[in-house]
Amino acid sequence: MPDPHSLSRWLILIGLALAGAGAVVWLLGRTGITLGRLPGDLRFSVGSGSCFLPIATSLILSLILTVLLNLILRVLHK
């Protein structure tokens, strides 16, 4: 069983990361850049059913998160 002190620290960090991600999405929405409506996001509707594939949004978020994670790891390991 993990140490309660380290577990609480991880939960706080995860909560702060989620709050930060929410703030970024909110700020992007206020600037007019809405995630999920980028060119390259596919939306299909057939009758009463629909399917949404956010390909462009997934690629952009993956690129941004990869760069941020690499920067954070480089700073922490110096």
Side-chain angles (χ1 to χ4, degrees):
M1 178 142 192
D3 179 32
H5 182 67
S6 65
L7 181 62
S8 63
R9 184 180 301 163
W10 276 107
L11 288 174
I12 290 170
L13 288 174
I14 290 169
L16 289 173
L18 285 174
V24 168
V25 170
W26 178 73
L27 287 172
L28 285 176
R30 293 197 40 102
T31 60
I33 302 171
T34 56
L35 294 177
R37 295 184 185 201
L38 297 173
D41 291 340
L42 304 175
R43 190 177 308 258
F44 301 105
S45 295
V46 179
S48 64
S50 64
C51 181
F52 177 64
L53 300 170
I55 296 172
T57 300
S58 297
L59 288 172
I60 290 173
L61 288 177
S62 175
L63 178 67
I64 291 169
L65 290 174
T66 300
V67 169
L68 285 175
L69 184 61
N70 280 322
L71 289 174
I72 290 170
L73 289 176
R74 284 179 191 229
V75 168
L76 291 177
H77 286 170
K78 281 192 172 183

